[in-house]
Amino acid sequence: MASRSLLRASSAVRHARRYRQPVSIRFSSTPSKDVPKDASTAGQTPARQQSWLTQKVKSNPVFYTIFLGLARALGYGSPQQLANRRALHLYNHLCAKRADEEADFWKNECALPPTFQSWFTITNFHVWLLTVRLRSLPAPHGKQHIQGLIDHFFQDVEERVRYVLQPGLLPPRSPSPQFYTQPSSLPPPDTFPSPAAYAKAQKRGRAAERVIVRQMKILKEQWVGLGMSMDLGLLRGDAELAAAVWRNFLGARGAAGVGLPIESGIKADETRPAFRRSVNLVGGAVDRVDKLNIDAEEMKDDQSGVHDFPPHESDRYISYPEIMSALVTYVRREAQRLEKVADSSIFGPRTVGREGEGIKALRWGPIRQ
C-alpha cells in the first residue's frame, strides 16, 4: 500500500499545507472562569461556555443547516477524518518518540549511529508493528487507520528531510527527537557583511528539490523493504525474522566476512583488505550494477556510520545472536500484546481534546524485560 504523500509531487503549495491536520467540528471554546462552584457541582468538570460565534450559528436555523452541510461536504466528522485524526495521535505518541525511549539499546548495543537514517529505520519499524494490529480492525476502519498512519509518517519524514537538507526553512511539526542532532539554522542576516552574502549562504545551505525527491524515493523503498521482510518473518518463523533484524537494524555487518586481529608473528595479507560495509544495490546512485566495482565500493566510507567492526572490535559480533533474539522476542511479545488490546482503545474518543486517551494501553513495552 503506497502512501499518497509519496505519490504527490513536491511543490511550494505543500509547504503552505505543512501544518494541515484533520479537525472535527465543535461549538465550544475554553472553559469559563466565572462558572460558580457549590456543593452539588464539586468535583465535576465545569461546563464549557459557548463562544460568540457558536451562539450566533446556533441561533439561526438556516445558517446552522448550511454550516453543517458545508462541513459534511468538506469531510469534517467523516469516518476517514476521524481515522486520520486518531492516526496522528497514534503516530506522535507511539512511533515518533520510540527511538528516544530506547536510545541506549539502539546506539550502544545495535551500534546504530545517531543520524536521521537510524531514526527513520526505528520509527519505520514501529509503524509496521502498529500496522500489524490495525489490519485486524473491522472494515473499513483498518484500511482508514493504516492509510492515515502512513500518511502522517511520510509527511513527518518529508518535513524532517527538508529540515535536514534545508536547515532553517521549516521546522518539523512533530516533537524534535533527541536521537539525532538537528542542523543549525543560518545566523541572522545582520551578521553577514551584505544582503547578497546572506542570500548566497542561504542558497548554498539548501539542497535542490531533486535531491529531496530522490531521498524520499529511497526512503519509500526502505519502507516497503522493511515491511515485506518483517511480514515474511512473521509467517516463516523466527529464523527469517532474525535475518530481517540483522539486515535492517544491525547493518548486515559481517556479511562479507569478519576481520580478526592478526596474531603476533603472522604477516598481514596486504592484498586482501578488510571489508568496511555492505553495498545496497537498490536505489540511490547505482545505475549500472554490472559496471560497479563491488570490492572498491565496499571499502569506501559513505559517512553513514554503519560498517563492519574493525578487527580489534571483532568480539562485538559475539553479542549479535543475543541481540537478534531480543528483537525477535520483542516483535512477538508486542504483536501478541496488541492483539489483546480492545478496538475501542485504538479508536479512542471522538471528541476534540481527548484524542490522547487510550494511548496508555497501546504503549510499547521495553525491548529487554
Side-chain angles (χ1 to χ4, degrees), residues 100-128:
D100 291 336
E101 294 172 351
E102 294 281 353
D104 183 71
F105 174 82
W106 300 112
K107 292 181 180 179
N108 297 329
E109 297 193 46
C110 297
L112 287 179
T115 60
F116 168 80
Q117 176 62 60
S118 299
W119 174 88
F120 173 82
T121 303
I122 299 168
T123 307
N124 185 19
F125 166 59
H126 286 89
V127 168
W128 165 82

Side-chain angles (χ1 to χ4, degrees), residues 158-172:
E158 182 175 348
E159 290 170 3
R160 292 180 185 275
V161 168
R162 292 185 180 278
Y163 191 64
V164 170
L165 298 180
Q166 299 175 341
L169 185 62
L170 289 174

